[in-house]
Structure formats: structure tokens, C-alpha cells
């Protein structure tokens, strides 16, 4: 009787210690759900959702504070993926969906004020005070944050053109012909 | 020599249609009026242009330098003048443009100084570099830079070197005629590749529907005293696929995620070997290639065409029949329709087929998949095209990858046998490029995220540094004002003196004197600095002299006077409300 109790107590102590150790050793830092949501978001850091960057928006979604349809660069595709992940309903996008764009600085008009450089969330604009600025196209996420601060309105957003490098085979379309 | 042959699964036997274009020997295509040489003609890095408009170039001169290891150089195919380096339509199904060097030939064909190299006297790395700078790429159609394939795996010794002369695509005969007419050069070129790879055995695989090529190669091998085996392989499409030919000749099956080097086998096309030999033995970079012009033309033939020749000029040599409606680049199984004949002949252009509704009847309408499994039987890679089709159609790209979409070589056997006429390969190409695009987007998003995070941490750091600096400064000020109170001078001097120098008057001395003992010394100092700055600005304004005022017309002088008057009015208006304040 006593020995049985001792064995059970010993088992409880050992298992408890193991669990306690595992809880410390394999502690999950941060919220894994936020990471998953953040991975779906397009990382343009544009703030069009009303949050200062993609990660804060991901945190807000995970906390249940924000809708999943606030991200225009992610498009309906992104909303669908978020709905899949979170088990929520797919909703139409809150704003209109735009094609992927890139910012272009009209270098003739640029006065070199550096305001756009300060506004760019991904450091995609190079230039210095009173020197011409330019956008590094491959780094630009098309967030439009540089457009507003420009005092001479020399930044325009251009949709990305199709080039050989980003050309895609199209979905095969079946031609429907009139037979009679 | 008796050789045990193996077999690959699947495959089809389409009508070969090779006879018409082998009746006459290779012809040298005439020099066109303009050559449009695209800089990016291979898989890998984009070469940078090394010439500019107006520059004279010699035949064989480097016009685009290889960018990175997996890349190849591009050369001027003839001597002449560079007209422009601009965007020009590419030999690509999209019809989009690519950076192209436009050359106007002068007809003199002046060569640049050619450097002949013996590959045995150089270290292998130098030979590989030489081949890269000679622009040697796989001329079977994949245009992968050859030097990058010429390294044996570290762990596995190179057993077999497979030379691909199978040429299984219907209509195409460029490798056939090359082997018939230039067998010696090919055999000599094989020695280069064999030595670089250290291969023990060389197998030359040629489909058995080309007995003349087999005989010519056999003869050349015997004449040059080599021990290569020339093997006639059964004619079955796609026997010329690298993995299929390796399987047939060596019995080794290359697994899905491995390269053939890891099994000790490497495979090269005969035309590639030929260009490598010309590059080393004659110092001639890749400037031209053999192109089969066939199909619905009066004179089907193989032409040796300078790279950059507009396809329109080449096609005219064959005199297309009046009912020709379209042109294909590559074979009928794997090729694509050329959207614009202004596109130039490039290293990948092995064949141009003129098509008519009679020769290639329009595809019957696509019908639903009946899951008959004919495509799975025909697939040489033992995939399940019907499953892949299903997932690609539903845009379920994750599933297509699970079903090994990227092992598909787009040979077209499945579409060929499909009783429902489903363009299966189109779906697979669509799915592949969609997956690649998503991969690119994902990478771009990750990079943007990393940059954003770096920027945020930098801003935080800068803010922290600034706060620290301010804190330090305020500490310094409070500790600095204490000795100022006792010492009555030196520590406070620098700030006071700068204000003094700015104003250039003794007006500040009372404030300076008052500042030292006063508790609100910072306040007074700030006011003094402002006063001094305003004083300075006024002095500057007054000292500024108008420029370019020597030869002004009366009207201009009047205008200036009017502006000055307006300014005076505004100035007094601006000053008046200030008056009582002062």
C-alpha cells in the first residue's frame, strides 16, 4: 500500500519535473499565429489598413481587433488565405484592388528635399539633401507613402509593366466558336 | 561494337518529316542589312552591354560580358557599326522586347585577333572560363551555359559522357546535317569535354532514322583513332531528352531531385561540342548556328545563320508557300509560335517551321478529361498528367508540386495522345510560371520585411542615441553653469562669443554680463542668439547686390521698380503690427 503510494508519488514528481522543464525549455516566444498572418501579408508596409506596417496589422488581426479585408495590396487572394488560416468568412476587400505599382520620381522636378526618403518604409529611395533622388525599382513595394510628402508633386505611381523576366504563361483559354 | 540498350517508359512516335530538309547541304545564309543581337540568349545572368551606338566592332568582338558564373558572353557576328543598343522584340512566345545590340554590317567580315588555345596546356578552370567567354551554351534548345556543366561531382567519378545527336523532334535536322558534314570537328570537340570531365567512356547516341549521320560519326571516330561508341538508338520521341538518352544508353535513371553528374553521367548536344571545338581550336566564339528551315516552304534546307539575323530574312530564303499562316520556332512538339518575324535568330533557334492550316490543322475544341490515362502511359517521366492537369486547372499549385510538376520536361507527349485534345502542356507551363511568380513575390516580401525591420531598429537606435546625447548635454550644461557662477567667465565664453561675433557689435555685452550671475541665463542667451541671427540676415539682405542688371530694357526697369514698390509696401505692412510689440 505504502510502496504503491510512494511509486505513484514518485511518478508524479518525475513527470511534473519533466513537464516543468519542457515548459521552460520549449517556451514559444511571441504569438505563432501573428507570424503566420504576417507571412500572408504582402509586406508593403503601406499602412493602408490603418496600422503602421504589416506586423501591427497582423497583431491586430490575431487579437481579433481588425477585419481581415483591410489590405488592398494583398488583394482578394490575401483575404482568402487569411480566411482559410483563421476560419473566418471571406469578405470583399474594403478598398479597391490595384495592380502592382512602383514609384517614379520625376528627376527634373525633384528639389532634393529628402522628405520622400524619410517616408519610405523600406529605404528604397536614394539621394541626399539638395541632390536628386531616385527610386530603386527592385526594392520599391508600391506603398505610395512617398507620394504625399513630396512638396513639388514629382512622384507618380506607375503600374509594373510586363517584362521577359516577370512574364507568365497565361491560363489556357478555350475559344468558343460559333458552329451554326 | 555490341551495346546493350535500355529503354525509357512512355513516349510517342509522331511522323518525323525530316526527309525534305536534308536533301541539300548546309547553306550559308547571306548577311542581312541589320543584325539584332540580343544580349541575353541563355539561361542565367544578363550580360551587360560593352559597346555603344556609333562604335565600330569587329567580327567576334565581345559585345556583352558574362554576368556571374552561370552566364555566357555575346559577340558581334560580323564586322560593322553599332547602330543602337536598344529594346528589340525577342525570340520568345510573349513577343516582348529585350536589350539588343543592333549592328549594321560593313560586309568586310574583319575578324578580331583570334586566340587559339590547347585545352590540355591550361588548367581546367581556365578552359571553363574560356568557354564561358566564347559564349558556348547548350545548342539543343535549353541554352544552359556549357562550362557550368563541365565540372564532375566531387564524390562521384565521371563514368559516361553522353553526346546527344538523337534529335527526336519531328521536322528538325540541324544536328543530323551537322554530324554528316562536320563529324571530324565534333569528334575532336568531344575530346575537350571528355578531358575536362575525366569521363571514362564516351557514348554518342543517334536515333536510328539517321543512318547517314551514324555512318559519318562512326567513320570520323575511326579516322581520328578514338574509342567512342556511336550508338543508334530506337526512334521514339523524346529519345533526345537528356534524361531519356542517358537512360537508354547507360541504363541509369536520374532521380527527380538529382542531377545526372551525381550519377557520374553528363550529356551534351553535338552542336554544343562543335562550337566548343571551334572556340578552342580556332578562337572563334559562337557567332552562328545551324537552323533548319522547313515546313510549308518551297525550299526546305539547313542554313548556317549568323546570330541576330531577323527571322524574316531567314524565312524568305526558303520561300514560304502562299497559304503559310504562321511560323514556329523549335519543333512542333515543344516549339512555340513566333509572334513577330522581326525577332532575331538566337542561340536557342534550332528550327523554324512554316505552318499552314493543311500542315498543322487547328486544334479541335478541348473536351472534358475522361481520365482514360493515355497521358500517363505516354509520359516519359512517369508523371500523372491528368492529375497535374486537374490541379493546375483549379490553380491548386501546392498539389501540382506534390505531384512533381517540376519534373515535367514539357515534351508534349501527353497533349499529343490526349483523346479529348486538352492542351495539357499549356496548363503545366501556366502552373510553373505562376509558381515561379509567387516564389519571386514571396522573396520580395521577405526582403521588404527585412528592410522595414532594419529601418525601424535603426530609427530606434538613432532616437536613443539622440536622447542620450541630449541628456549628456544637459548634464554638461548644469555642471558647466556652476563653475560659471563662481568663476564668472571662461566656461560661458564660447557661447557668448559666437553671438557676439555674429552681431559684430557690443550690444550683447550687457546681456553677457547679466547672463553669468542670472538663473535664467539660458533664456537670455537664446534671445540674444535670435537677435544676432536676425541682425545677420538683415545685413546679408542689404549687402546682396542684384545681378545681371547691365542691359535692361525700359520695360524691365519699370517692372523692377513696380516690384520694389510692392515689396516696400508689404515690408512696412509686415513691420507695422510688430511695432507696438516692440
Amino acid at each position: 500500500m505504502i510502496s504503491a503510494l510512494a511509486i505513484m508519488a514518485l511518478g508524479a514528481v518525475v513527470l511534473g519535473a519533466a513537464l516543468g522543464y519542457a515548459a521552460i525549455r520549449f517556451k514559444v516566444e511571441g504569438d505563432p499565429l501573428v507570424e503566420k498572418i504576417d507571412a500572408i501579408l504582402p509586406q508593403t508596409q503601406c499602412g493602408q489598413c490603418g496600422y503602421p506596417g504589416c506586423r501591427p496589422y497582423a497583431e491586430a488581426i490575431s487579437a481579433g481587433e481588425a477585419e481581415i479585408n483591410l489590405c488592398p495590396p494583398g488583394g482578394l487572394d490575401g483575404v482568402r488565405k487569411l480566411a482559410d488560416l483563421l476560419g473566418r468568412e471571406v469578405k470583399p476587400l474594403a478598398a479597391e484592388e490595384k495592380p502592382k505599382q512602383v514609384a517614379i520620381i520625376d528627376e527634373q522636378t525633384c528639389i532634393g528635399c529628402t522628405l520622400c526618403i524619410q517616408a519610405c518604409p523600406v529605404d528604397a529611395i536614394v539621394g541626399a539633401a539638395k541632390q536628386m533622388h531616385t527610386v530603386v525599382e527592385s526594392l520599391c513595394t508600391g506603398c505610395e507613402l512617398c507620394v504625399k510628402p513630396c512638396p513639388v508633386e514629382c512622384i507618380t505611381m506607375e503600374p509594373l509593366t510586363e517584362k521577359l523576366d516577370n512574364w507568365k504563361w497565361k491560363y489556357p483559354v478555350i475559344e468558343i466558336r460559333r458552329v451554326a | 561494337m555490341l551495346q546493350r540498350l535500355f529503354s525509357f517508359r512512355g513516349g510517342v512516335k509522331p511522323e518525323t518529316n525530316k526527309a525534305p530538309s536534308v536533301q541539300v547541304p548546309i547553306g550559308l545564309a547571306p548577311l542581312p542589312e541589320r543584325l539584332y543581337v540580343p544580349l541575353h540568349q541563355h539561361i542565367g545572368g544578363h550580360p551587360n552591354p560593352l559597346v555603344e551606338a556609333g562604335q565600330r566592332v569587329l567580327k567576334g568582338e565581345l559585345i556583352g560580358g558574362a554576368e556571374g558564373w552561370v552566364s555566357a558572353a555575346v559577340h558581334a557576328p560580323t564586322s560593322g557599326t553599332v547602330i543602337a543598343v536598344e529594346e528589340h522584340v525577342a525570340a520568345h512566345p510573349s513577343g516582348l522586347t529585350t536589350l539588343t545590340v543592333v549592328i549594321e554590317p560593313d560586309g568586310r567580315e574583319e575578324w578580331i585577333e583570334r586566340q587559339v588555345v590547347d585545352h590540355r596546356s591550361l588548367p581546367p578552370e581556365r578552359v571553363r572560363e574560356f568557354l564561358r567567354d566564347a559564349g558556348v551554351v547548350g545548342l539543343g534548345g535549353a541554352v544552359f551555359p556549357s562550362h557550368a556543366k563541365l565540372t564532375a561531382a566531387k564524390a562521384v567519378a565521371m563514368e559516361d559522357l553522353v553526346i546527344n545527336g538523337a534529335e527526336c523532334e519531328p521536322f528538325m535536322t540541324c544536328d543530323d546535317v551537322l554530324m554528316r558534314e562536320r563529324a571530324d570537328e565534333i569528334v575532336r570537340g568531344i575530346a575537350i569535354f571528355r578531358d575536362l570531365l575525366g569521363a571514362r567512356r564516351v557514348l554518342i547516341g543517334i536515333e536510328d532514322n539517321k543512318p547517314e549521320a551514324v555512318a559519318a560519326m562512326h567513320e570520323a571516330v575511326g579516322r581520328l583513332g578514338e574509342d567512342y561508341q556511336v550508338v543508334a538508338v530506337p526512334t521514339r520521341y523524346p529519345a533526345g531528352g537528356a534524361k531519356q538518352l542517358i537512360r537508354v544508353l547507360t541504363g541509369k535513371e536520374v532521380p527527380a531531385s538529382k542531377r545526372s553528374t551525381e550519377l557520374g553521367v553528363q550529356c551534351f548536344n553535338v552542336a554544343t561540342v562543335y562550337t566548343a571545338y571551334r572556340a578552342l581550336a580556332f578562337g572563334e566564339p559562337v557567332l552562328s548556328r545551324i537552323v533548319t528551315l522547313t515546313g510549308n516552304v518551297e525550299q526546305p534546307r539547313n542554313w548556317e545563320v549568323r546570330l541576330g539575323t531577323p527571322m524574316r530574312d531567314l524565312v524568305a530564303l526558303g520561300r514560304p508557300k502562299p497559304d503559310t499562316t504562321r511560323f514556329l520556332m523549335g519543333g512542333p512538339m515543344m516549339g512555340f509560335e513566333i509572334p513577330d518575324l522581326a525577332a532575331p535568330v538566337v542561340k536557342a533557334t534550332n528550327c523554324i517551321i512554316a505552318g499552314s492550316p493543311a500542315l498543322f490543322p487547328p486544334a479541335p475544341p478541348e473536351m472534358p478529361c475522361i481520365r482514360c490515362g493515355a497521358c500517363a502511359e505516354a509520359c516519359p517521366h512517369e508523371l500523372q498528367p491528368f492529375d497535374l492537369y486537374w490541379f493546375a486547372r483549379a490553380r491548386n499549385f501546392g498539389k501540382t508540386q506534390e505531384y512533381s510538376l517540376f519534373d515535367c520536361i514539357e515534351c508534349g507527349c501527353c497533349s499529343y495522345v490526349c483523346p479529348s485534345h486538352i492542351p495539357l502542356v499549356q496548363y503545366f507551363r501556366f502552373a510553373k510560371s505562376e509558381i515561379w511568380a509567387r516564389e519571386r513575390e514571396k522573396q520580395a516580401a521577405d526582403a521588404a520585411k527585412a528592410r522595414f525591420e532594419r529601418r525601424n531598429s535603426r530609427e530606434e537606435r538613432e532616437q536613443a542615441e539622440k536622447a542620450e546625447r541630449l541628456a549628456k548635454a544637459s548634464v554638461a550644461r548644469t555642471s558647466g553653469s556652476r563653475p560659471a557662477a563662481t568663476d564668472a567667465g571662461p566656461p560661458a565664453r564660447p557661447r557668448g562669443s559666437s553671438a557676439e561675433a555674429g552681431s559684430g557689435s557690443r550690444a550683447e555685452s550687457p546681456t553677457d554680463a547679466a547672463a553669468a550671475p542670472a538663473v535664467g541665463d539660458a533664456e537670455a542667451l537664446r534671445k540674444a542668439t535670435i537677435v544676432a541671427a536676425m541682425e545677420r540676415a538683415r545685413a546679408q539682405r542689404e549687402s546682396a547686390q542684384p545681378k545681371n542688371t547691365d542691359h535692361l530694357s525700359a520695360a524691365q526697369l519699370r517692372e523692377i521698380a513696380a516690384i520694389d514698390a510692392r515689396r516696400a509696401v508689404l515690408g512696412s505692412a509686415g513691420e507695422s503690427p510688430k511695432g507696438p510689440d516692440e
Side-chain angles (χ1 to χ4, degrees), chain A residues 35 38-39 42-43 45 52-53 55 77 100 117-124 139 141 162-172 174 177, chain B residues 46 90 92-94 96-98 336 363 365-366 392-393 395 423 426-427 429-430 433-434 437-438 440-442 445 448-449 451-452 455 458:
Chain A
E35 291 297 331
D38 202 29
Q43 303 301 329
Q45 318 296 351
R55 203 180 165 85
D77 215 36
K100 283 205 86 175
I117 295 179
Q118 293 160 34
C120 180
V122 291
D123 287 335
L139 301 180
T141 61
E162 200 173 42
K163 292 191 192 114
L164 278 185
D165 294 335
N166 61 10
W167 178 82
K168 292 191 278 188
W169 283 95
K170 301 290 171 293
Y171 189 81
I174 307 146
R177 274 168 304 177
Chain B
H46 288 245
H92 190 263
S94 65
L96 291 169
T97 60
T98 182
F336 58 86
E366 182 181 330
R393 201 182 131 103
R395 294 184 161 86
Q426 303 259 31
Y427 282 99
R429 283 176 171 164
F430 156 72
S433 60
E434 202 64 40
R438 284 181 189 205
R440 276 198 304 273
E441 255 167 49
K442 184 86 194 98
K449 189 177 165 189
R451 290 181 76 81
F452 179 61
R455 180 191 157 89
R458 187 187 70 217

Side-chain angles (χ1 to χ4, degrees), chain B residues 488-534:
Chain B
R493 203 76 214 146
R495 269 175 289 169
S497 67
S498 73
E500 241 174 285
S503 71
S505 73
R506 298 292 301 155
E508 264 76 23
S509 53
T511 50
D512 199 16
V519 190
D521 120 279
E523 186 75 0
L525 195 70
R526 206 167 57 84
K527 266 190 183 158
T529 326
I530 293 170
V531 169
M534 280 168 74

Side-chain angles (χ1 to χ4, degrees), chain B residues 135-147:
Chain B
V136 176
V137 299
L139 293 181
V143 283
F144 187 83
S146 301
H147 63 274

